[in-house]
DNA sequence: GCAAATTAATGATTTATTCAAG
DNA sequence: CTTGAATAAATCATTAATTTGC
């Protein structure tokens, strides 16, 4: 109960001293070690995230079903969806504790709901025909990566299903850099062994 | 998934145009640059190679154990094993851009272990890790990652359920210094702290 | 009811991924 | 190209809960 309470209060990945403290508190009730606390938080966070993933996945399925039947427009902008899951991104955000800055993305005022929905629609229209289990596993894997989660398009979606099979360049993709642009990065870029391959791929850096 | 598929299909070191192409393909799902693809292949190849190295090393160990225990008895089993994975040096070939003939080591029926040894020595020299790999495997990550290792209780607990109802501070929480340095220390620690689980789980590994 | 079988939950461990630095 | 560190994901192993055939 105590750990649950702490988790609910926001503790996700306690550091050494925090773990020590928690362990000291809990040791009043019985033998316990720091690693137990550490594992507990690891597992709890992971399984909480897993639950959320499944939830999102189900939502996705629902939405895709909906879209499949009603190919209308602007469903994503309906207030119901936004209000129904307004904390989608916040729910995700709580899992990243003190992560590097490049993950703590503040999606501008465009709205996280649209972003998430779009993410879903863009990323996962691909396979909904696969077998359920395989699908779920794949989903898990893709969802698990917060990085991918955040590499989301921002901006008003012209249409949920962008059918432009041209693919590469058409979209206004406003996202954050995957790599922080730093001097080291530049240097590494230039000193890479196969840097010649990269010259035309990334001229900006 | 796409990159994995390409890797599985044989792509190891894509050139600039390939990278461009892949990047264009992947950019449909989010922002990505050529260097990401480049780095991905670099790392994936390296770590795949590493995995193979360890696998071979383990196989070697196993077979040596096998030979040590069952000399000249049903050696065909070993051969079947080698036949079960006859692509040992085919697996190697994929790492080299050009596969010259000197890799075509004739695996003699005499023994797979020699072949493996040769393989190891010929192709990569295994980074002089051969004697350290065992230790590395067993406790490679234990040293670096065990934040909780330094806060584990020391000494036999006087009573599992200490009746000190005075509060939290009544119990002196002895902690270790940073890292217990020797393997024996670590082993003792592990077997002492989490008693039965480790012992039971050991033979599986 | 009820014991065997199956499934869910959970602690612990291992493996994989990512970034940073050398 | 390598390695270290952080940590997420996957997996293992055991316990508990639940279902099922009788």
């Amino acid at each position: 109960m105590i750990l649950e309470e702490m988790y609910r209060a926001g503790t996700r990945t306690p550091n050494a001293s925090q773990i020590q403290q928690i362990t000291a508190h809990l040791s009043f009730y019985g033998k316990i070690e720091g690693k137990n606390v550490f594992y507990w938080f690891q597992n709890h966070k992971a399984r909480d995230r897993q639950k959320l993933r499944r939830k999102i996945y189900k939502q996705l399925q629902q939405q895709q079903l909906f879209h499949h039947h009603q190919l209308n427009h602007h469903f994503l902008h309906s207030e119901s969806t936004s209000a129904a899951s307004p904390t989608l991104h916040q729910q995700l955000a709580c899992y990243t504790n003190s992560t590097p800055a490049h993950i703590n993305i503040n999606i501008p005022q465009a709205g996280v709901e649209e972003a998430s929905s779009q993410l879903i629609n863009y990323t996962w229209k691909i396979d909904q025909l696969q077998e359920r289990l395989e699908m779920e596993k794949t989903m898990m894997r893709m969802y698990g990566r917060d990085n991918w989660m955040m590499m989301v398009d921002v901006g008003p979606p012209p249409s949920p299903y962008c059918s432009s099979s041209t693919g590469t360049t058409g979209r206004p993709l406003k996202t954050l850099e995957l790599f922080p642009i730093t001097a080291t990065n530049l240097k590494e870029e230039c000193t890479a062994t196969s840097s010649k391959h990269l010259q035309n791929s990334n001229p900006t850096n």
Side-chain angles (χ1 to χ4, degrees), chain A residues 22-197:
Chain A
I22 297 167
T23 305
H25 273 271
L26 291 181
S27 66
F28 172 73
Y29 304 100
K31 187 184 178 186
I32 192 172
E33 301 174 21
K35 62 179 179 182
N36 303 122
V37 176
F38 172 76
Y39 289 146
W40 190 91
F41 276 99
Q42 289 289 319
N43 283 319
H44 205 72
K45 185 169 66 170
R47 278 153 185 164
D48 196 13
R49 189 164 23 204
Q50 197 178 34
K51 266 192 298 187
L52 177 58
R53 257 178 263 149
R54 289 182 210 251
K55 194 176 111 191
I56 291 177
Y57 172 66
K58 280 174 191 164
Q59 277 187 355
L60 206 193
Q61 262 188 335
Q62 285 299 107
Q63 280 190 359
Q64 281 190 343
L65 223 73
F66 186 81
H67 281 296
H68 185 264
H69 287 296
Q70 294 190 8
L71 280 178
N72 300 0
H73 42 69
H74 281 218
F75 168 69
L76 295 176
H77 292 274
S78 73
E79 301 301 327
S80 65
T81 303
S82 303
S85 68
T87 59
L88 198 58
H89 175 262
Q90 291 169 354
Q91 286 174 4
L92 298 175
C94 67
Y95 295 114
T96 68
N97 75 314
S98 72
T99 37
H102 67 279
I103 293 185
N104 277 335
I105 299 168
N106 48 355
I107 296 179
Q109 65 281 4
V112 186
E113 310 84 74
E114 287 99 339
S116 297
S117 300
Q118 264 219 314
L119 166 79
I120 288 169
N121 285 313
Y122 272 27
T123 315
W124 285 281
K125 70 168 191 176
I126 330 159
D127 32 19
Q128 78 201 68
L129 301 171
Q130 294 183 1
E131 195 163 350
R132 194 188 187 87
L133 218 80
E134 184 69 22
M135 174 70 165
E136 175 143 358
K137 206 159 185 174
T138 305
M139 289 307 231
M140 301 294 237
R141 212 171 172 76
M142 297 189 74
Y143 266 125
R145 292 286 151 216
D146 291 335
N147 301 356
W148 286 86
M149 197 57 121
M150 298 308 179
M151 286 198 298
V152 65
D153 302 9
V154 185
S159 68
Y161 287 92
C162 150
S163 59
S164 75
S165 60
T166 62
T168 65
T169 55
R171 296 179 306 149
L173 208 59
K174 191 159 56 163
T175 60
L176 316 132
E177 276 70 74
L178 202 54
F179 286 20
I181 301 171
T182 61
T184 57
N185 206 358
L186 183 68
K187 184 180 178 183
E188 189 177 359
E189 183 76 20
C190 289
T191 56
T193 56
S194 304
S195 59
K196 55 176 179 176
H197 296 327

